[in-house]
């Protein structure tokens, strides 16, 4: 039986991060009272005139520039006709040919292998409203209409069918989200419906050039859903082919609860949208200077930031990748660094503490670094206390717990609990002498040439000092005392 290759192309809708909608001045705020954010334009009143939001246009162009797209200067809009129960005017205004951005790309890396994925286009369109389905008396159904989302600006990004596994798709979406949130052009949260993804899946025998019949999967609203839906669909298609069946081009829905895709409509029902030019939005051309100006406004993007972190702060690839995995994490790190007494000394330990200790805590409490109970400033102080020898690294971990649970500043915990490290040599000498007397066996072993035996005596000193003795100093003093 032939081995199959999975082929995936994505259609990603991202809500453009502007204060107002794309063709009117209504707010885009999430979670407002139903229909609070509406006006004559977005409720489709006859004769109402759409006016293009310049900021939305800028957001798409910035996104295109960040992803190596060619920006097309002509800007035209069309009506996509359809019976939309959630769009009373029964058409959607969408950008027509050419799209604002053509031929972009995004590099991903899966299991150490780098791959450049070609992106066909990005264009602008408006969102639809939302229907809320209810069951009333005697099980008679009815639906409520909320137009808050109607006419909110979306950018639709379409990739080439070049992704070949659920992992590659996951990486692609993660990278895309990272870049777009760095730009601030969309918040990309799948939970709030600000990023939605239709996944086209087909399979073909390995080595075959022609594509197989594709299925479009809709209704996926989480990153794990995307992965599971692709894996399920590739397996289902393989089973159909291997049992001698034929695949049909169709749209299927992902049922997250059951973990299966179900047929929604076949290609025979495909719609002719009867696109025609939108008469209320005249075509126009973007000027070169407008696009150039947007180029200069692009922030530092994840890749460049990672490079700079590696160079300037001598971080490992792992730490630099982790710290630049979100704009907020990178900002937290640099804020902490700017609050450190000695930037050079703090760079590595700070990176470590953020990528291990802090990230574990934040993951466990399911919160974002921007809501961290430990401020960047306090984390910087904690590292300072370790570096100047006030506390040991081990004690720092218990202080960290208190800082996280109670939002205490580190110096407060150190003082309240009397955790200051003992670096007074005379005190350490005394503790070492006691420990030597109490460890005749280890002393004998050490004198017989087994140097490692000193470890047991160090341990005893640390125990006696309740972890507060400066370990380097203890080592030094013990060796001095044990030398013949
Ligand atoms: P439509 O307008 O009908 O949705 P497009 O040609 O715009 O069709 O393609 C939509 C998406 O389907 C794109 O992301 C593309 O990469 C993907 N696609 C096209 N052919 C295949 C295929 N054989 N297998 C998987 N994905 C495909
Ligand atoms: Mg499509
Ligand atoms: Zn409006």
């Amino acid at each position: 039986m032939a081995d199959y290759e999975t082929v995936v192309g994505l259609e990603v809708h991202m809500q453009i991060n502007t204060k107002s909608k794309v063709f009117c001045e209504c707010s885009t705020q999430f979670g407002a009272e139903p229909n609070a954010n509406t006006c004559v334009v977005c409720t489709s009143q006859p004769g109402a005139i759409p006016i293009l939001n310049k900021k939305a246009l800028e957001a798409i162009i910035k996104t295109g520039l960040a992803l190596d797209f060619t920006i097309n200067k002509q800007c035209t809009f069309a009506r996509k006709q359809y019976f939309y129960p959630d769009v009373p005017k029964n058409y959607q205004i969408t950008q027509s040919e050419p799209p604002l951005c053509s031929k972009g790309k995004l590099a991903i890396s899966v299991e150490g292998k780098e791959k450049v994925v070609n992106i066909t286009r990005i264009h602008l369109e408006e969102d639809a409203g939302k229907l809320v389905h209810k069951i009333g008396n005697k099980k008679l159904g009815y639906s409520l209409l909320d137009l808050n989302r109607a006419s909110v600006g979306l950018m639709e990004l379409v990739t080439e069918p070049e992704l070949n596994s659920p992992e590659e798709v996951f990486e692609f979406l993660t990278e895309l989200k990272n870049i777009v949130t760095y730009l601030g052009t969309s918040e990309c949260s799948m939970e709030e419906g600000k990023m939605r993804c239709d996944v086209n899946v087909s399979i073909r025998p390995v080595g075959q050039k022609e594509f197989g019949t594709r299925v479009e999967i809709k209704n996926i609203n989480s990153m794990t859903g995307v992965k599971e839906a692709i894996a399920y669909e590739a397996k289902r298609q393989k089973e159909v082919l291997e049992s001698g069946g034929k695949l049909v081009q169709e749209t299927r829905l992902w049922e997250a609860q059951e973990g299966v895709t179900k047929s929604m409509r076949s290609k025979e029902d495909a719609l002719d949208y009867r696109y025609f030019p939108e008469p209320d939005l005249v075509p126009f051309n973007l000027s070169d200077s407008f696009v150039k100006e947007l180029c200069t406004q692009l922030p530092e993007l994840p890749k460049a930031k990672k490079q700079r972190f590696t160079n300037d702060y001598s971080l490992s690839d792992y730490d630099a990748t982790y710290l630049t995995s979100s704009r907020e994490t990178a900002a937290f790190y640099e804020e902490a660094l700017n609050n450190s007494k000695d930037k050079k000394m703090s760079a590595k330990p700070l990176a470590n503490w953020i990528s291990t200790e802090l990230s574990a805590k934040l993951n466990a409490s399911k919160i974002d670094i921007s809501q961290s109970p430990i401020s960047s400033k306090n984390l910087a102080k904690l590292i300072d206390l370790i570096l100047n020898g006030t506390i040991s690294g081990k004690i720092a971990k218990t202080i960290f717990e208190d800082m996280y649970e109670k939002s205490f500043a580190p110096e407060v915990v150190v003082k309240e609990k009397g955790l200051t490290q003992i670096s007074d040599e005379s005190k350490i000498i005394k503790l070492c002498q006691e420990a030597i007397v109490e460890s005749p066996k280890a002393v004998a072993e050490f004198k017989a040439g087994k140097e490692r035996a000193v470890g047991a005596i160090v341990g005893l000193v640390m125990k006696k000092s309740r972890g507060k003795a400066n370990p380097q100093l203890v080592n030094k003093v013990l060796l001095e005392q044990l030398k013949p």
Side-chain angles (χ1 to χ4, degrees):
M1 242 171 257
D3 255 348
Y4 290 93
E5 173 188 47
T6 305
V7 175
V8 180
L10 303 173
E11 291 165 84
V12 186
H13 285 91
M14 291 173 281
Q15 183 176 321
I16 303 172
N17 192 14
T18 47
K19 288 209 179 79
S20 53
K21 297 185 181 183
V22 65
F23 297 125
C24 63
E25 291 182 354
C26 293
S27 165
T28 56
Q29 196 214 339
F30 180 79
E33 279 283 294
N35 298 305
N37 300 337
T38 55
C39 71
V40 291
V41 177
C42 56
T43 56
S44 318
Q45 304 302 310
I49 304 284
I51 296 172
L52 179 63
N53 181 339
K54 189 176 169 196
K55 289 269 185 256
L57 193 68
E58 290 177 359
I60 294 204
I61 296 172
K62 278 189 192 172
T63 308
L65 290 169
L67 294 168
D68 290 330
F69 272 88
T70 303
I71 308 299
N72 298 312
K73 301 284 159 58
Q74 303 117 285
C75 200
T76 53
F77 289 92
R79 291 186 177 182
K80 184 181 179 183
Q81 326 271 346
Y82 186 74
F83 172 68
Y84 292 99
D86 45 9
V87 181
K89 64 188 178 214
N90 280 333
Y91 60 83
Q92 177 193 31
I93 303 179
T94 169
Q95 220 217 317
S96 54
E97 291 303 320
L100 264 172
C101 315
S102 304
K103 291 194 175 165
K105 48 185 182 291
L106 177 61
I108 56 169
S109 139
V110 175
E111 283 162 12
K113 264 203 260 160
E114 176 123 325
K115 168 169 180 171
V116 176
V117 180
N118 290 297
I119 313 175
T120 321
R121 58 189 280 150
I122 310 180
H123 72 261
L124 174 69
E125 61 183 37
E126 63 177 336
D127 206 348
K130 197 173 86 184
L131 288 174
V132 184
H133 305 294
K134 300 268 184 187
I135 304 219
N137 286 340
K138 298 178 189 156
K139 296 217 165 149
L140 210 58
Y142 63 97
S143 296
L144 297 169
L145 177 57
D146 178 3
L147 291 173
N148 281 347
R149 220 176 55 186
S151 233
V152 164
L154 299 177
M155 39 186 166
E156 178 176 343
L157 177 151
V158 180
T159 76
E160 290 293 311
E162 293 182 352
L163 293 151
N164 298 109
S165 68
E167 292 71 30
E168 283 187 13
V169 173
F170 186 87
E171 263 315 295
F172 180 88
L173 290 172
T174 306
E175 280 295 316
L176 177 67
K177 238 169 131 166
N178 195 14
I179 291 175
V180 172
T181 48
Y182 261 69
L183 290 167
T185 51
S186 171
E187 292 175 6
C188 292
S189 72
M190 278 195 156
E191 311 75 58
E192 293 186 358
K194 290 177 180 171
M195 185 181 202
R196 285 166 257 160
C197 187
D198 296 340
V199 180
N200 296 272
V201 183
S202 66
I203 60 169
R204 62 180 168 190
V206 169
Q208 178 182 306
K209 278 227 171 72
E210 298 78 41
F211 286 125
T213 304
R214 84 173 138 118
V215 158
E216 181 175 4
I217 314 170
K218 289 187 178 290
N219 202 29
I220 312 178
N221 54 15
S222 74
M223 292 285 270
T224 37
V226 170
K227 269 176 134 174
E228 289 169 4
I230 296 169
Y232 174 86
E233 191 53 29
K235 185 161 166 275
R236 185 191 70 83
Q237 293 182 10
K238 190 174 168 200
E239 281 166 9
V240 171
L241 293 183
E242 286 183 346
S243 64
K246 256 192 117 170
L247 291 163
V248 284
Q249 189 171 339
E250 61 179 347
T251 302
R252 298 176 72 90
L253 286 183
W254 172 241
E255 302 287 349
Q257 301 273 309
E258 299 163 63
V260 300
T261 61
K262 286 186 182 165
S263 184
M264 181 175 123
R265 60 168 181 250
S266 73
K267 210 206 165 192
E268 284 79 70
D269 312 325
L271 299 145
D272 178 356
Y273 296 111
R274 295 290 178 114
Y275 284 89
F276 77 81
E278 165 59 61
D280 289 332
L281 290 163
V282 290
F284 62 93
N285 285 329
L286 301 169
S287 68
D288 288 338
S289 59
F290 178 69
V291 177
K292 268 206 189 111
E293 170 60 25
L294 291 173
C295 257
T296 66
Q297 290 176 17
L298 292 183
E300 184 180 38
L301 293 171
K303 224 176 172 177
K305 204 183 276 285
K306 183 179 157 189
Q307 194 62 52
R308 181 169 62 80
F309 278 17
T310 318
N311 294 343
D312 293 7
Y313 308 136
S314 316
L315 299 181
S316 66
D317 189 68
Y318 174 84
D319 280 340
T321 304
Y322 179 81
L323 293 174
T324 54
S325 63
S326 83
R327 187 178 172 165
E328 287 78 19
T329 309
F332 187 96
Y333 176 67
E334 289 207 291
E335 266 165 38
L337 211 51
N338 288 333
N339 277 294
S340 302
K341 288 246 158 58
D342 185 337
K343 263 178 129 168
K344 223 174 169 168
M345 293 291 291
S346 299
K348 273 191 196 178
L350 257 176
N352 275 332
W353 278 80
I354 294 174
S355 69
T356 54
E357 246 71 31
L358 186 61
S359 96
K361 280 279 181 195
L362 295 171
N363 277 341
S365 32
K366 294 198 173 68
I367 54 173
D368 195 76
I369 195 158
S370 54
Q371 299 155 317
S372 167
I374 300 184
S375 67
S376 53
K377 210 171 170 176
N378 279 339
L379 187 61
K381 275 194 208 159
L382 183 71
I383 308 299
D384 284 346
L385 291 172
I386 303 171
L387 291 175
N388 71 19
T390 308
I391 54 173
S392 66
K394 206 169 162 198
I395 295 258
K397 293 201 176 160
T398 64
I399 297 175
F400 182 84
E401 293 287 323
D402 272 14
M403 289 170 67
Y404 193 88
E405 301 309 330
K406 301 169 194 154
S407 287
F408 283 162
E411 67 275 18
V412 175
V413 186
V414 171
K415 216 169 153 194
E416 271 190 359
K417 299 205 165 171
L419 293 173
T420 306
Q421 179 163 274
I422 305 169
S423 296
D424 177 341
E425 192 154 350
S426 61
K427 280 191 191 150
I428 300 248
I429 290 176
K430 201 167 152 264
L431 288 170
C432 286
Q433 284 167 344
E434 284 173 29
I436 287 172
V437 173
E438 291 167 29
S439 317
K441 195 167 155 243
V443 172
E445 282 174 4
F446 179 83
K447 293 203 162 143
K450 193 177 160 200
E451 295 205 357
R452 275 189 301 125
V454 78
I457 317 177
V458 173
L460 186 57
V461 176
M462 294 310 288
K463 198 174 156 200
K464 282 174 171 292
S465 70
R466 283 191 279 130
K468 290 188 291 183
N470 178 330
Q472 284 86 28
L473 201 53
V474 172
N475 248 307
K476 179 185 143 246
V477 169
L478 275 179
L479 289 178
E480 279 167 9
Q481 303 217 335
L482 290 170
K483 258 190 216 145

